[in-house]
């Protein structure tokens, strides 16, 4: 999932995201809550209407930004008080208000408020933090169940010519077609996911998974990783946590990773990932290619007529030379950010396409081997 922090994947307009094949993107509740404010977004029918993006959206709970951007935050049983990074004003998120904000934003998948345990943390602190996240998960779920009908797009019929919808949703009767408009059936709403915490402790991860599953969510995220721990530790925690998560629900690993890492985690059984890396690195001239990472600002590319990545079929690599991309970056042209981001997103999306393809092939070969290995009659 590309990250569209403030209802925008930085420097790329929505029609190009569609062309790249982006199926879902992520918005940050913390940022949208502060600016433009959730009431503004609600009035436009939620993020879908506001940013004119008919495909899927996921919003986080705001918790991670509160924890990562705020040194002055204060956590109590009730929730977390924090200061705006924009103007220093004081704000408060409870599990209930974080879900209320996300209902107003109207993303398809929303997240329960959790406490991202800091790294390093001792066992006692990790356990207390995990218990708090579990109590918050229950409160998030309770509030969501009582208020999910308030999602803004319930009242907004959308023109069916402009917004193609998921055929499965139509078949399931969640969406019906009525004189040129899609109308949502009653009871069709967002999906609230739970988040597993437990720090770097395998036993606490197991307990967090089991008790979050008891609360029952349609999908589960693994949080509290990529917070400064060594990479092998991340992998170990992911692997151990996955063992305890149901295979028939989406499993979402938050905030990773490099192209190599997303392949690795998908191989372990992760279904969803989000990361600012492809877009943020692009703005700093760091480009992912099939031949490794390239820093386009380097003088060695000044006369280079080759495409950025000869194995990439994206609209940047089909058209422009490394020399041109290097010039745009050196001249601080806005287009440098646009083209670099387009390529990096394409590279990530292609990587995930290959992952899906090999999963399909793998399933076929497993199917074939089960056919061929059958004992002869
Ligand atoms: Zn490319």
């Amino acid at each position: 999932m590309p990250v569209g922090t403030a209802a925008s994947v930085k420097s790329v307009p929505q029609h190009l995201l569609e062309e790249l094949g982006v199926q879902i993107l992520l918005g940050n509740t913390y940022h949208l809550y502060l600016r433009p404010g959730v009431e503004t977004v609600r009035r436009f029918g939620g993020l879908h209407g506001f940013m004119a993006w008919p495909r899927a959206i996921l919003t986080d709970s705001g918790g991670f930004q509160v924890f990562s951007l705020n040194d002055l935050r204060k956590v109590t049983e009730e929730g977390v008080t924090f200061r705006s990074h924009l103007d220093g004003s004081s704000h408060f998120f409870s599990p209930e208000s974080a879900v209320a904000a996300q209902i107003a934003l109207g993303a398809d998948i929303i997240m329960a408020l959790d406490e991202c345990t800091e790294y390093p943390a001792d066992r006692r602190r990790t356990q207390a933090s995990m218990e708090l996240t579990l109590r918050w998960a229950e409160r998030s779920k309770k509030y969501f169940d009582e208020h999910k009908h308030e999602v803004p797009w319930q009242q907004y019929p959308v023109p069916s010519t402009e917004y193609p919808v998921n055929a499965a949703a139509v078949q399931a009767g969640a969406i019906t077609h009525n004189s040129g408009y899609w109308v949502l059936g009653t009871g069709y709403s967002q999906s609230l996911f739970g988040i597993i915490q437990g720090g770097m402790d395998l036993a606490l991860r197991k307990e967090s998974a089991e008790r979050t599953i008891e609360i029952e969510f349609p999908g589960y995220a693994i949080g509290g990783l990529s917070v400064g721990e060594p990479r092998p530790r991340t992998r170990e925690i992911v692997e151990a946590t996955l063992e305890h998560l149901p295979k028939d629900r989406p499993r979402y690993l938050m905030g990773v990773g490099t192209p190599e890492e997303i392949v690795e985690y998908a191989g372990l059984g992760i279904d969803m990932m989000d990361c600012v890396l492809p877009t943020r690195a692009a703005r700093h001239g760091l480009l992912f290619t099939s031949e490794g990472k390239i820093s386009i600002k380097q003088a060695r590319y000044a006369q280079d007529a080759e495409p950025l990545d000869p194995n990439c079929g994206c609209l940047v690599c089909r058209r422009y030379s490394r020399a041109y991309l290097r010039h745009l970056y050196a001249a601080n042209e806005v287009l440098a950010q646009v083209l670099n981001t387009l390529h990096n997103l394409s590279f990530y999306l292609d990587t995930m396409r290959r992952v899906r393809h090999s999963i399909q092939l793998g399933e076929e070969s497993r199917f074939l081997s089960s056919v061929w290995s059958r004992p002869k009659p």
Side-chain angles (χ1 to χ4, degrees):
M1 296 179 284
V3 176
T5 300
S8 160
V9 175
K10 288 191 199 315
S11 84
V12 184
Q14 278 69 313
H15 72 278
L16 285 178
L17 295 173
E18 282 172 1
E19 212 169 293
L20 294 182
V22 173
Q23 298 173 342
I24 176 169
L25 51 83
L26 186 138
N28 288 124
T29 298
Y30 169 88
H31 291 282
L32 294 164
Y33 161 87
L34 291 176
R35 189 171 57 190
V38 295
E39 282 315 313
T40 300
V41 178
R42 187 209 297 276
R43 249 171 261 134
F44 285 84
L47 281 171
H48 291 287
F50 185 57
M51 64 185 288
W53 175 255
R55 298 185 185 172
I57 303 174
L58 180 150
T59 49
D60 62 1
S61 68
F64 186 76
Q65 267 78 28
V66 168
F67 290 99
S68 59
L69 294 177
N70 278 268
D71 298 329
L72 297 170
R73 67 180 182 269
K74 189 168 173 283
V75 183
T76 64
E77 184 64 37
E78 214 26 57
V80 55
T81 308
F82 59 95
R83 285 193 180 282
S84 159
H85 70 289
L86 298 174
D87 60 9
S89 55
S90 180
H91 299 267
F92 176 73
F93 273 158
S94 67
E96 291 80 10
S97 71
V99 169
Q102 292 183 85
I103 290 175
L105 293 174
D108 304 85
I109 300 174
I110 66 175
M111 305 301 297
L113 185 67
D114 63 328
E115 185 185 41
C116 182
T117 316
E118 67 284 357
Y119 176 84
D122 64 27
R123 188 167 205 277
R124 219 167 135 176
R125 160 71 193 135
T126 307
Q127 173 147 23
S129 171
M130 179 202 80
E131 298 277 357
L132 181 68
T133 289
L134 282 164
R135 290 192 296 276
W136 284 4
E138 255 175 75
R139 284 168 56 188
S140 299
K141 169 91 185 291
K142 183 166 183 284
Y143 185 90
F144 178 69
D145 284 342
E146 289 163 2
H147 296 268
K148 57 186 174 190
H149 59 279
E150 292 165 15
V151 69
W153 31 259
Q154 281 280 4
Q155 294 105 43
Y156 284 75
V158 291
S160 57
T161 44
E162 289 170 42
Y163 294 87
V165 299
N166 184 331
V170 177
Q171 210 167 16
I175 301 174
T176 48
H177 194 245
N178 193 354
S179 52
Y181 286 87
W182 293 113
V183 183
L184 290 161
T186 49
Y188 182 69
S189 187
Q190 302 163 286
S191 296
L192 173 72
F193 281 20
I195 304 178
I196 314 302
Q197 289 289 345
M200 303 300 147
D201 188 305
L202 295 185
L204 290 179
R205 284 277 167 184
K206 175 172 187 274
E207 188 182 344
S208 175
E210 288 172 352
R211 290 171 59 189
T212 309
I213 291 165
E214 266 171 41
I215 303 170
E216 236 197 305
F217 292 97
Y220 297 94
I222 303 177
L225 290 176
S226 284
V227 287
E229 79 280 9
R231 270 301 109 94
R233 194 81 183 122
T234 318
R235 190 199 149 101
E236 191 188 353
I237 302 284
V238 170
E239 220 171 345
T241 310
L242 274 172
E243 258 177 60
H244 308 292
L245 293 178
K247 289 192 171 56
D248 61 349
R249 304 280 162 97
R251 292 166 296 183
Y252 165 27
L253 179 55
M254 305 176 89
V256 294
T258 64
E260 295 78 25
E261 282 164 0
I262 65 172
V263 171
E264 186 185 347
Y265 294 131
L268 294 177
I270 293 292
D271 303 296
M272 305 164 63
M273 285 166 269
D274 75 280
C275 195
V276 292
L277 189 58
T279 42
R280 182 176 291 166
R283 297 197 299 280
H284 292 103
L286 284 174
L287 302 167
F288 297 97
T289 77
S290 57
E291 290 154 354
K293 234 187 323 184
I294 280 184
S295 174
I296 200 66
K297 62 186 97 171
Q298 290 175 356
R300 58 197 273 215
Y301 300 119
Q303 308 294 327
D304 194 333
E306 290 296 305
L308 177 59
D309 181 351
N311 299 313
C312 177
C314 87
L315 53 95
V316 179
C317 293
R318 284 204 314 267
R319 185 159 188 159
Y320 305 104
S321 65
R322 288 174 177 174
Y324 183 62
L325 294 175
R326 195 257 169 192
H327 156 71
L328 290 178
Y329 189 87
N332 209 10
E333 284 292 327
V334 171
L335 188 57
Q337 296 194 5
V338 178
L339 297 184
N340 291 349
T341 306
L342 279 172
H343 165 79
N344 270 1
L345 282 179
S346 294
F347 188 80
Y348 265 68
L349 292 163
D350 278 346
T351 303
M352 285 312 294
R353 260 180 227 114
R354 279 200 303 277
V355 165
R356 282 194 284 273
H357 185 63
S358 73
I359 289 172
Q360 276 166 349
L361 287 179
E363 270 165 12
E364 257 162 54
S365 72
R366 266 200 297 281
F367 169 74
L368 285 175
S369 69
S370 74
V371 170
W372 296 120
S373 63
R374 212 176 281 160
K376 290 197 177 76

